[in-house]
Amino acid sequence: MKTRKPYLILIFLSLSVVFADTIPDPVPTEQAERDLRSTWSKKYPSETIISVTSAGDPGTLEKVDKKGKLLERKLKVPFQVVAEKAGTQREFEAGANYIQKGNQWKFSEIGIGDVKAIASENEKAPKKPEVKELVVKAFSEKYPDYTWSKVLIDDGTFNKGSNGGFYRYEGDINRTDSEGQTIQCKDIDFMLAKDSSGAWAVDITSQGKCY
């Protein structure tokens, strides 16, 4: 019997290594969504989930020691979550996270990434041509010594402040002086929000670099 003990121990250790090196099949998306919704409702009781959509394939993350020995393996099932709180909807990059236990995945937590506010119907920005007209108007009023034209802007980023929703834009604009010389001002920065009358207005935060 004594000569068999090392042999049995070796078999046990070998089986442990096999299980540690084997990656279980990913958790089904439907199950991951149920885990996410259940945990979200407990962790953020003041928020109501509007929608949960898959954001790609699951991915694994491994933690190893200095010798390369596996210490921990995690699985993330990614989602895009839209939730509402106090009348404001936000979109979250979220994930249902799991830790490998033996040859199974055990749910551990939900992870939250980037968050952005979603504009309501009343907060949706005007079309780009109208925004560009407002930009020219704002620059002309703030810098009347020049003529402003040819505005190039990005799609804008919506945010929510204490006074309501607003957009931040970046872009370029042409500046023409009294002698007719035109240069381009790059990296302009401005906010678009509704004024007290409810009309959209531009607030310039940076004239950019003009050269």
Side-chain angles (χ1 to χ4, degrees), residues 77-198:
V77 184
F79 293 97
Q80 289 285 351
V81 177
V82 176
E84 184 176 42
K85 179 181 179 180
T88 297
Q89 291 188 9
R90 291 181 172 83
E91 184 178 72
F92 299 80
E93 289 185 2
N97 298 334
Y98 299 81
I99 296 179
Q100 183 176 353
K101 298 293 184 181
N103 61 347
Q104 295 182 333
W105 294 112
K106 181 177 176 61
F107 178 77
S108 60
E109 61 183 357
I110 55 175
I112 304 296
D114 291 339
V115 183
K116 64 179 182 180
I118 299 177
S120 65
E121 285 298 321
N122 187 51
E123 295 171 325
K124 287 186 177 179
K127 300 295 183 182
K128 269 193 177 182
E130 184 178 346
V131 176
K132 291 179 179 181
E133 290 179 4
L134 293 171
V135 172
V136 170
K137 178 183 177 183
F139 270 81
S140 298
E141 292 176 350
K142 189 169 185 177
Y143 308 103
D145 293 337
Y146 301 97
T147 300
W148 302 89
S149 62
K150 199 175 181 181
V151 180
L152 301 174
I153 55 174
D154 61 12
D155 293 330
T157 303
F158 180 73
N159 292 280
K160 199 87 169 180
S162 57
N163 295 323
F166 65 93
Y167 293 83
R168 178 181 177 182
Y169 289 85
E170 295 179 337
D172 307 326
I173 189 171
N174 281 7
R175 187 186 76 180
T176 305
D177 61 22
S178 58
E179 297 179 356
Q181 182 179 1
T182 299
I183 60 176
Q184 188 179 53
C185 296
K186 292 182 174 293
D187 301 325
I188 64 172
D189 193 311
F190 64 91
M191 303 293 184
L192 177 70
K194 289 188 175 181
D195 59 22
S196 57
S197 69

Side-chain angles (χ1 to χ4, degrees), residues 62-72:
E62 296 182 345
K63 181 180 180 181
V64 297
D65 62 15
K66 294 180 180 180
K67 296 182 179 180
K69 179 183 177 182
L70 180 66
L71 300 176
E72 185 179 68

Side-chain angles (χ1 to χ4, degrees), residues 196-207:
S196 57
S197 69
W200 288 104
V202 165
D203 179 18
I204 302 168
T205 53
S206 174
Q207 182 185 346

Side-chain angles (χ1 to χ4, degrees), residues 41-59:
S41 63
K42 296 173 184 176
K43 192 172 183 179
Y44 308 109
S46 61
E47 295 183 357
T48 301
I49 291 181
I50 305 300
S51 66
V52 178
T53 55
S54 175
D57 296 329

